[in-house]
């Protein structure tokens, strides 16, 4: 351990110093030396360790190790192993000798007061604070990593609070302490020492708006906890009571990582000699925290809650759709939560408004809803109805411009865990739609992309979705869980697969079977007519090229092989150069475990069965999945929405701990 600070000795009078337990102090044995002295010896009282620091190649250890040469090649450091009971109760004596064997030419005496100062946090990530004499300033990723974690205190534990708990410097609920990380200050030493010395807790200015520290004093009421560090207070003189050896603090995160914030914050405690001007810090101990990221959950995670909206439009109430969702939730053993019309203001697209994720520290985790900048009818629902006890909220707003369709969260997805070229992504990779490879098109807002990238644990991938009218990735891809070794399949919409299926049915003699047969809101079209429709074929093959571009990106960025991809038959047509699904988009499904709620395509009926439904069943049911086709055609046809965009699912968090990731 490198010497912490130096103390000079005097032959004329004793020297007094404070020595922190476990911290070496350099003793300057050459600052005041008797005339003619050539060697010196050092002794310490019980409780003091003396270390001779020298280069063995240049210095020969004297016999008995009692008399060392007085030259620049030998240094002395000392340390104490326990806090003193009284002031100056430890002693170090340095004796100086001449060339003859006569008595000492002089003596210097150093009186020490041992003090035990340590700032400790959960560096071992066990959920509990343990005393740590190692490196507390550094934070490391990975299974062998270390360093404490902070939760962003973005839930609302008290119903009386106006917003998330992090917006207030006052503790509104004792439950709020559970969202904070414990920090313990050890401060053992003679009480009289703290009459002339003080302990100062501080946070760097750059971190002060991202972290808050509460001090626990006295009883167990709200008034016994007050914020001592935060945006309005960069330092705090610790109020140590006589005989107090440990002081408890609670630390909260105030901001998720972002483009201007790497996620690391530090807090320090200093032992300051108040008897000098300027006041001199004798010792500083610093701990580092990393802010827990916001983490998305893929379709492969078990569902907990299914959300849908109750609406009334020109075609009436969506009561039947909600009944179907209730049946689906029952099959999947998850809870259905219906957002009433008064709260959604007739905005059914709840997937577009928000994305469910979670945040986690070793001692606690809770779900966090990410509110999109879309801000339509459902704008207030995440904040007013979802934010609550142990349910956090975060958002990113677009400054100086309105949101585009690509800023809706139907354009935000995440893959299951994947390994790519030997690199593991145990929490999957975020997928967002963009204008690539087209230049100058629509793109998700930079403020959202920057936020997602800054979380570091789900390395985002941008896909090409601007070819779609709405422009969302959920219109051409989805992931479903499987029970095999791979654990999932990527589903991609495939016009080629659909045209091939229709050609097979025509060759089998079913060319007159019609799409949309019997629907009031759509003119039916036979297989023969669809295959003969050159514009529909041309549009669909153009879309196939767009999807194929994404297919190669997904294979490369997610480490997928062709056997990991399932092509779901789907046709598209172009309107004003952008694509829309020709019939309800079956890829745009809601996934609840093994139960898939798929938009009913109203495909050609052959032998009493929809050939599109039969094809999808043949592709997915061998994987252990259950296909449940749901009639949402009216809302789809009129509003370009699908079941996935009209629902939202909160899922179980990963069992894998994000701090074990190696970014």
């Amino acid at each position: 351990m490198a010497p912490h600070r130096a103390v000079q000795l005097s032959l004329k009078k004793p020297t007094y110093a404070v020595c922190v337990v476990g911290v070496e102090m350099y003793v300057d044995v050459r600052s005041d030396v008797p005339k003619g002295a050539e060697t010196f010896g050092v002794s310490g009282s019980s409780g003091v360790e003396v270390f001779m620091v020298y280069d063995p190649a240049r210095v020969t250890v004297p016999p008995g190790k009692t008399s060392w040469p007085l030259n620049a090649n030998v240094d002395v450091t000392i340390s104490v192993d326990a806090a003193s009971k009284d002031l100056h109760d430890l002693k170090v004596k340095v004796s100086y000798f001449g060339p003859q064997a006569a008595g000492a030419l002089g003596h210097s005496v150093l009186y020490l007061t041992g003090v035990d100062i340590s700032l400790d946090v959960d560096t071992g990530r066990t959920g509990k604070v343990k005393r740590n004499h190692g490196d507390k300033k550094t934070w490391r990723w990975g299974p062998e990593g270390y360093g404490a974690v902070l939760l962003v205190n973005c839930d609302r534990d008290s119903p009386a609070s106006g917003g998330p708990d992090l917006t207030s410097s006052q503790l509104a609920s004792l439950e709020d302490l559970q969202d904070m990380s414990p920090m313990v200050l050890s401060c053992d030493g003679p009480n009289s020492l703290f009459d002339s010395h003080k302990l100062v807790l501080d946070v760097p200015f750059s971190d002060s708006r991202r972290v808050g520290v509460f001090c626990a004093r006295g009883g167990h009421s709200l008034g016994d906890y007050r914020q001592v560090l935060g945006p309005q207070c960069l330092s705090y003189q610790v109020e140590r009571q006589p005989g107090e050896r440990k002081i408890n603090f609670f630390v909260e995160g105030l901001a998720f990582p972002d483009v201007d914030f790497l996620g690391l914050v530090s807090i320090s405690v200093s032992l300051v000699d108040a008897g000098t001007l300027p006041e001199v810090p004798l010792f500083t101990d610093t701990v580092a925290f990393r802010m827990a990221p916001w983490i998305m959950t893929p379709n492969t995670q078990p569902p907990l809650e299914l959300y849908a909206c109750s609406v009334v439009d020109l075609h009436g109430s969506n009561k039947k759709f909600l009944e179907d969702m209730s049946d689906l939730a029952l099959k999947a053993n998850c809870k259905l939560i219906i957002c009433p019309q008064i709260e959604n203001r007739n905005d059914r697209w709840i997937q577009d408004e928000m994305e469910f994720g979670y945040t986690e520290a070793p001692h606690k985790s809770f779900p966090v809803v990410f509110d999109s900048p879309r801000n339509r009818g459902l704008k207030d629902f995440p904040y007013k109805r979802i934010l609550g006890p142990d349910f956090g909220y975060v958002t990113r707003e677009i400054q100086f411009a309105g949101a585009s369709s690509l800023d809706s969260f139907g354009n935000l997805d995440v893959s299951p865990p994947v390994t790519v070229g030997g690199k593991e992504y145990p929490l999957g990779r975020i997928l967002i739609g963009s204008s690539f490879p087209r230049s100058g098109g629509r793109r998700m807002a930079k403020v959202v992309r920057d936020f997602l990238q800054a979380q570091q644990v789900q390395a985002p991938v941008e896909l090409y979705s601007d070819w779609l009218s709405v422009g969302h990735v959920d219109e051409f891809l989805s992931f479903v869980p499987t029970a095999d070794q791979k654990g999932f399949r990527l589903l991609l919409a495939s016009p080629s697969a659909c045209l091939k299926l229709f050609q097979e049915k025509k060759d089998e003699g079913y060319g007159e079977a019609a799409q949309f047969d019997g629907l009031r809101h759509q003119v039916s079209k036979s297989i023969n007519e669809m295959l003969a429709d050159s514009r529909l074929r041309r549009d669909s093959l153009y879309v196939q090229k767009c999807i194929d571009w994404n297919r190669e990106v997904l294979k490369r960025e997610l480490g997928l092989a062709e056997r990991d991809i399932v092509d779901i038959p789907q046709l598209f047509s172009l309107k004003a150069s952008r694509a829309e699904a020709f019939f309800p988009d079956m890829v745009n499904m809601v996934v609840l475990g093994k139960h898939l709620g798929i938009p009913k395509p109203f495909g050609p009926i052959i032998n009493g069965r929809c050939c599109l439904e039969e094809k999808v069943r043949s592709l997915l049911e061998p994987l252990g999945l259950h296909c449940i086709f749901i009639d949402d055609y009216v809302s789809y046809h009129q509003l370009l929405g699908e079941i996935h965009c009209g629902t939202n699912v909160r899922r179980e968090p990963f069992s894998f701990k994000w701090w074990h990731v190696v970014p």
Side-chain angles (χ1 to χ4, degrees):
M1 182 184 295
H4 186 265
R5 61 190 180 91
V7 59
Q8 291 185 336
L9 302 182
S10 170
L11 293 169
K12 300 180 180 63
K13 59 182 180 179
T15 302
Y16 299 90
V18 175
C19 190
V20 178
V21 172
V23 178
E24 292 183 7
M25 177 185 293
Y26 170 71
V27 179
D28 185 356
V29 297
R30 288 178 287 274
S31 58
D32 191 3
V33 180
K35 186 177 180 180
E38 294 184 1
T39 61
F40 72 97
V42 184
S43 62
S45 61
S46 175
V48 179
E49 289 192 70
V50 179
F51 306 96
M52 310 306 295
V53 183
Y54 61 93
D55 181 358
R58 303 178 64 182
V59 177
T60 301
V61 178
K65 301 180 182 180
T66 57
S67 183
W68 294 82
L70 257 175
N71 59 50
N73 296 322
V74 179
D75 291 325
V76 178
T77 63
I78 60 173
S79 69
V80 300
D81 56 18
S84 294
K85 301 298 183 183
D86 299 297
L87 284 176
H88 320 314
D89 62 354
L90 302 173
K91 179 180 176 181
V92 174
K93 182 179 179 181
V94 180
S95 301
Y96 297 93
F97 305 94
Q100 305 303 320
L105 300 179
H107 305 278
S108 294
V109 177
L110 170 63
Y111 288 103
L112 296 172
T113 302
V115 60
D116 189 5
I117 305 294
S118 181
L119 193 62
D120 291 289
V121 291
D122 180 20
T123 54
R125 303 169 187 168
T126 63
K128 297 184 181 299
V129 176
K130 292 184 179 180
R131 186 70 180 266
N132 185 357
H133 298 288
D135 182 7
K136 296 180 278 189
K137 296 181 181 179
T138 306
W139 203 97
R140 287 193 177 178
W141 296 88
E144 304 303 320
Y146 54 85
V149 175
L150 282 184
L151 289 173
V152 178
N153 196 10
C154 59
D155 68 339
R156 180 170 56 196
D157 284 310
S158 173
S161 299
D165 294 332
L166 58 81
T167 60
S168 175
S169 61
Q170 302 293 321
L171 199 67
S173 167
L174 290 177
E175 286 73 21
D176 195 24
L177 295 172
Q178 299 174 17
D179 301 334
M180 304 183 192
S181 295
M183 181 172 71
V184 178
L185 172 60
S186 300
C187 49
D188 192 11
N191 291 327
S192 54
L193 174 71
F194 295 97
D195 293 336
S196 57
H197 295 74
K198 60 185 180 181
L199 295 166
V200 178
L201 206 66
D202 64 77
V203 59
F205 176 76
S206 59
D207 294 345
S208 61
R209 59 192 175 93
R210 294 162 177 147
V211 65
V213 178
F214 286 80
C215 184
R217 310 298 298 181
H220 299 285
S221 64
L222 291 177
D224 295 316
Y225 298 86
R226 65 185 179 95
Q227 191 179 81
V228 296
L229 291 180
Q232 307 303 320
C233 188
L234 275 64
S235 65
Y236 164 65
Q237 183 174 334
V238 178
E239 299 171 358
R240 179 186 182 273
Q241 303 300 320
E244 194 169 28
R245 296 182 177 181
K246 292 186 183 296
I247 301 175
N248 294 316
F249 296 89
F250 294 87
V251 188
E252 65 174 345
L254 304 181
F256 282 99
D258 214 325
V259 64
D260 60 346
F261 175 40
L262 294 177
L264 286 171
V265 296
S266 64
I267 298 173
S268 300
V269 67
S270 296
L271 177 66
V272 177
D273 185 350
T276 62
L277 287 176
E279 295 179 343
V280 178
L282 303 179
F283 168 76
T284 299
D285 202 14
T286 301
V287 294
F289 292 90
R290 180 172 288 279
M291 217 67 72
W294 179 78
I295 303 171
M296 284 184 67
T297 48
N299 286 352
T300 47
Q301 290 299 108
L304 297 173
E305 295 172 336
L306 172 65
Y307 288 74
C309 290
S310 173
V311 298
V312 177
D313 55 28
L314 294 175
H315 303 280
S317 167
N318 68 337
K319 180 180 178 181
K320 177 62 169 61
F321 172 74
L322 295 178
E323 291 173 351
D324 290 339
M325 289 298 104
S326 179
D327 291 342
L328 184 64
L330 187 63
K331 288 183 173 68
N333 194 31
C334 73
K335 181 181 179 181
L336 175 64
I337 296 176
I338 297 176
C339 174
Q341 186 180 11
I342 193 172
E343 294 180 5
N344 64 53
R345 294 182 291 180
N346 238 34
D347 177 6
R348 74 173 71 220
W349 309 123
I350 196 166
Q351 177 65 226
D352 288 337
E353 183 59 40
M354 62 190 189
E355 185 68 52
F356 286 113
Y358 69 97
T359 190
E360 182 176 28
H363 67 284
K364 186 175 183 180
S365 70
F366 56 77
V368 178
V369 60
F370 186 11
D371 190 359
S372 82
R374 170 179 178 265
N375 294 342
R376 288 169 59 181
L378 279 159
K379 174 183 177 181
D380 297 329
F381 179 70
Y383 190 84
K384 289 186 176 180
R385 295 300 179 187
I386 295 180
L387 170 63
D390 288 341
F391 211 128
Y393 172 92
V394 65
T395 190
R396 288 295 180 270
E397 294 292 341
I398 303 171
Q399 302 294 324
F400 314 118
S404 79
S405 176
L406 270 66
D407 296 314
S408 297
F409 284 171
N411 193 36
L412 177 62
D413 209 327
V414 64
S415 79
V418 292
T419 300
V420 186
K423 180 173 176 54
E424 295 183 354
Y425 297 90
L427 302 177
R429 300 191 69 178
I430 286 174
L431 307 175
I432 56 177
S434 186
S435 57
F436 299 154
R438 177 187 293 176
S439 62
R442 297 169 295 175
R443 196 178 183 194
M444 181 176 281
K446 185 176 184 299
V447 67
V448 178
R449 288 184 283 115
D450 286 345
F451 174 82
L452 296 171
Q453 184 72 45
Q455 307 313 304
Q456 297 192 59
V457 294
Q458 293 180 300
V461 177
E462 286 196 70
L463 299 174
Y464 177 35
S465 66
D466 194 34
W467 52 272
L468 287 153
S469 289
V470 177
H472 295 178
V473 293
D474 67 358
E475 296 177 77
F476 68 89
L477 68 81
S478 185
F479 294 93
V480 293
T482 60
D484 56 12
Q485 185 176 3
K486 185 66 180 180
F488 71 91
R489 294 292 186 277
L490 167 64
L491 309 186
L492 288 179
S494 176
S496 294
C498 191
L499 292 172
K500 179 182 178 182
L501 174 65
F502 284 173
Q503 186 63 51
E504 290 173 354
K505 296 306 176 185
K506 176 182 178 178
D507 294 343
E508 293 171 5
Y510 300 112
E512 292 305 313
Q515 189 81 35
F516 309 125
D517 191 17
L519 280 182
R520 291 182 300 159
H521 308 287
Q522 181 67 39
V523 176
S524 64
K525 201 164 187 176
S526 70
I527 289 177
N528 289 336
E529 290 173 321
M530 288 187 286
L531 291 174
D533 188 333
S534 59
R535 181 174 178 178
L536 178 61
R537 178 180 288 271
R538 183 179 65 249
D539 291 353
S540 289
L541 292 179
Y542 163 75
V543 167
Q544 186 65 60
K545 291 181 180 178
C546 296
I547 294 175
D548 286 344
W549 190 92
N550 287 294
R551 187 189 201 96
E552 294 308 309
V553 173
L554 288 161
K555 287 166 64 177
R556 181 178 67 249
E557 298 295 338
L558 301 183
L560 302 180
E562 279 297 323
R563 62 180 176 273
D564 303 320
I565 302 173
V566 178
D567 291 309
I568 302 297
Q570 187 68 46
L571 293 183
F572 293 83
S573 60
L574 297 184
K575 292 185 180 179
S577 79
R578 286 193 167 98
E580 296 176 1
F582 182 67
F583 53 79
D585 190 344
M586 291 185 290
V587 171
N588 200 282
M589 62 180 68
V590 59
V591 179
L592 301 181
K594 295 181 179 181
H595 301 275
L596 312 180
I598 306 173
K600 189 174 180 61
F602 294 96
I605 303 299
I606 298 173
N607 297 326
R609 296 177 178 270
C610 170
C611 66
L612 287 170
E613 291 184 19
E614 289 301 293
K615 180 62 176 179
V616 171
R617 290 184 192 278
S618 71
L619 293 170
L620 300 182
E621 289 186 350
L623 299 173
L625 300 167
H626 303 287
C627 300
I628 302 162
F629 291 90
I630 295 172
D631 180 359
D632 195 31
Y633 180 76
V634 171
S635 62
Y636 165 81
H637 181 63
Q638 297 295 323
L639 300 174
L640 301 177
E642 301 90 351
I643 288 177
H644 183 258
C645 285
T647 60
N648 211 316
V649 183
R650 183 170 75 87
R651 304 180 184 276
E652 288 185 10
F654 287 101
S655 58
F656 183 91
K657 304 306 180 186
W658 63 264
W659 48 86
H660 291 163
V661 169
V662 180

